[in-house]
Amino acid sequence: MEVSNSNQVALPSMSLDETIEQIIGRFGWSQFMQAILVSIPAFFDAQQTFISIYADAVPKWHCNTFDTSCNPKSNICKLPRSSWSWDEPSHYSIISDWGLECASSFITSLPASSFYIGSLIGGFTFAILGDFCLGRKNLLYLSSLIMSVTALLTAFSTNIWVYSSLRFVSGLSRSSVITCSLILLTERIGKRLRSQVGTTAFFSYALGLLSLPAVAYTNRGSSWRILFLYTSIPAIFYFIITYFFVYESPRWLFMQGRDKEAIAILKRIACIEDRILDSYLSNIHHRQEIPKVNPYTSMKDLFKRNWALKRILAAMVIGFGVGVVYFGMLLGVGNLNFSIYLSVIFNASLLIPSNLLTLLFISRWKRKSSLFAFCTISGICSIICVMVGKGREGIQIGLELASFFCSSLAFNVLLMFTIELFPTSVRNSATSLARQAVALGSVFDPVLISIGRKNEFLSFGIFGLTMLLCGFFVIVLPETRGKALCNTMDEQESKDSTMV
């Protein structure tokens, strides 16, 4: 390269994607701080996603000593209320607080199901906003703030119906948190470290889940309302304070024709010499403009183009299976006759090594083969967990942990895989659809877990079978490891045709 009179470096003609790659290819301090700030919303998302494990728990009870007719194995609904008492204070969970111990499975599972139904609807409703008017950053913070404020209001619920409605709104708003975090991370990092940095959101999510049993155990003698207060108030302060320090995705800004804003952000996160940076930025100024993409047209293309339709449907089917097991294992730990605090801690602890493995090997793993293997092993372990039967809690919890571990690996790989399968113009929408398929799988978990207290096959058995069947759909997807990201549907289609 030669230095021109303007003290800039003469550069060969490059596409916009290649230019951005050269500017942000190195990972510096600014990008590191941005990765941390963008990953933390996943911490609070995990707390609200699984808070029902404790807030909606069915408390244990004991017979009062003065009543000899009471039997610990009796049906609690057939005993006089004066003959038994809760082991914990009555305000421990919504079940004991509102006297729902004899309510139907539909009623007791309604709050959790409402949350996941809200997540499902919100993903389809808000997904396009991340590709269109709001962008990655604004959608991330708006979703996270509404989720946290709703959680705060949930602490003041007066009955199961108000509680379920607020949980629905919370699920509706948080549906885009993980998706926006991942995309905002990956679109601002060069392809060399894109996969590794993207996993920081998974680590944050794992820490959020791991913190939940600690907060619940510390306040085990307090009301379930306190749990909502302790998990929502810090989140609200965080989102208000850090909003002004997080940058938008330069790629998305370029797609919206907001070049000046995109260039300003590239200057802040670049880790190259100023004279080289100026040359790259000059190259951007003289590039051919990318026409602003209509998001509705792009979404239409997502379903009109055969290759895109095949990819999104396959990703959604796999996501459904992953969601059934991933959320089912965590929500169903109460059915295994094991400590509800230790069970969640064990499962949450496994997210750390699963995320670490993803971080270390995602650049080496082939997406298709690794995703298929994780789905298969997870499904088999879940089915064997049922076959072992009750009375062998140690073996059961071991198989449950193995199944959850593999499902979390499958979840991580699926999200990274989906991000790489689609161009910038529809990446948020496509990833949200796959993410919402995961949410769809979780919608059925509370009901299956409730009826699974009498027949474990209706919970863990169905979890495993679903995962096994859905895993086979990975066969129709192309391998994406090490491939560059495209910006438009036409560019993606052209690139795929050239590769074929």
Side-chain angles (χ1 to χ4, degrees), residues 150-162:
T150 306
L152 177 63
L153 297 176
T154 304
F156 303 97
S157 301
T158 55
N159 55 55
I160 186 70
W161 307 108
V162 174

Side-chain angles (χ1 to χ4, degrees), residues 99-385:
L100 302 175
E101 60 273 8
C102 296
S104 65
S105 298
F106 171 79
I107 296 297
T108 55
S109 64
L110 181 61
S113 293
S114 297
F115 178 86
Y116 293 117
I117 291 173
S119 296
L120 178 66
I121 296 175
F124 289 113
T125 305
F126 297 144
I128 198 171
L129 298 179
D131 287 327
F132 183 32
C133 56
L134 288 182
R136 283 59 161 133
K137 171 190 170 180
N138 288 333
L139 181 57
L140 171 64
Y141 273 82
L142 180 63
S143 299
S144 301
L145 187 59
I146 295 175
M147 174 192 71
S148 302
V149 172
T150 306
L152 177 63
L153 297 176
T154 304
F156 303 97
S157 301
T158 55
N159 55 55
I160 186 70
W161 307 108
V162 174
Y163 178 76
S164 298
S165 299
L166 289 171
R167 291 297 288 158
F168 172 81
V169 176
S170 183
L172 190 74
S173 58
R174 56 77 54 184
S175 57
S176 301
V177 173
I178 287 291
T179 302
C180 287
S181 291
L182 282 172
I183 292 177
L184 197 52
L185 284 168
T186 55
E187 288 187 347
R188 295 186 312 195
I189 302 296
K191 63 182 180 180
R192 185 173 63 89
L193 293 175
R194 182 200 310 148
S195 300
Q196 289 87 337
V197 175
T199 59
T200 57
F202 299 145
F203 277 105
S204 181
Y205 190 87
L207 292 175
L209 178 56
L210 192 58
S211 71
L212 186 60
V215 175
Y217 185 78
T218 303
N219 297 277
R220 60 190 180 281
S222 304
S223 171
W224 58 271
R225 302 174 190 273
I226 300 297
L227 192 57
F228 276 96
L229 293 176
Y230 282 3
T231 55
S232 62
I233 294 176
I236 293 173
F237 279 108
Y238 173 82
F239 295 126
I240 293 175
I241 294 172
T242 62
Y243 174 81
F244 302 98
F245 299 98
V246 172
Y247 304 143
E248 181 56 88
S249 163
R251 294 177 187 273
W252 180 80
L253 290 172
F254 278 123
M255 294 301 298
Q256 298 301 307
R258 296 160 60 177
D259 290 16
K260 290 184 179 179
E261 297 175 59
I263 291 173
I265 292 174
L266 287 175
K267 288 181 178 179
R268 293 172 187 156
I269 64 177
C271 295
I272 55 179
E273 295 180 20
D274 290 342
R275 65 190 186 93
I276 300 178
L277 175 61
D278 290 339
S279 299
Y280 283 125
L281 295 179
S282 177
N283 184 54
I284 290 178
H285 280 301
H286 293 91
R287 68 179 173 83
Q288 183 178 0
E289 293 293 326
I290 293 180
K292 189 173 180 179
V293 179
N294 184 312
Y296 298 100
T297 302
S298 297
M299 281 296 290
K300 189 176 180 181
D301 281 348
L302 193 60
F303 295 97
K304 281 185 63 178
R305 305 194 188 207
N306 290 334
W307 64 269
L309 178 62
K310 182 172 67 174
R311 291 184 186 185
I312 194 61
L313 290 179
M316 291 177 70
V317 172
I318 299 168
F320 177 83
V322 171
V324 169
V325 175
Y326 185 88
F327 290 94
M329 289 295 163
L330 274 170
L331 297 173
V333 291
N335 288 6
L336 297 179
N337 196 28
F338 200 79
S339 170
I340 196 172
Y341 298 104
L342 290 177
S343 297
V344 177
I345 289 175
F346 289 159
N347 280 277
S349 297
L350 285 179
L351 286 177
I352 303 297
S354 71
N355 292 333
L356 185 60
L357 282 175
T358 306
L359 173 65
L360 295 176
F361 298 108
I362 190 67
S363 60
R364 305 176 188 176
W365 282 342
K366 288 187 175 180
R367 309 307 191 233
K368 293 181 63 173
S369 57
S370 58
L371 184 56
F372 180 76
F374 295 143
C375 289
T376 302
I377 296 172
S378 178
I380 291 174
C381 288
S382 182
I383 294 174
I384 297 177
C385 184

Side-chain angles (χ1 to χ4, degrees), residues 14-20 251 255 287 290-291 293 301 305 307 311 421-427 483-499:
M14 291 183 291
S15 67
L16 174 62
D17 184 70
E18 291 172 332
T19 304
I20 295 176
R251 294 177 187 273
M255 294 301 298
R287 68 179 173 83
I290 293 180
V293 179
D301 281 348
R305 305 194 188 207
W307 64 269
R311 291 184 186 185
L421 283 168
F422 297 93
T424 304
S425 60
V426 294
R427 185 171 297 123
K483 303 296 190 301
L485 297 179
C486 296
N487 289 315
T488 65
M489 295 289 282
D490 290 335
E491 182 183 346
Q492 182 76 59
E493 187 169 316
S494 175
K495 176 183 175 183
D496 293 341
S497 299
T498 302
M499 289 175 61

Side-chain angles (χ1 to χ4, degrees), residues 74-88:
S74 300
N75 185 337
I76 194 174
C77 299
K78 295 182 180 179
L79 295 173
R81 184 61 184 86
S82 59
S83 65
W84 59 273
S85 300
W86 297 113
D87 289 359
E88 302 286 349

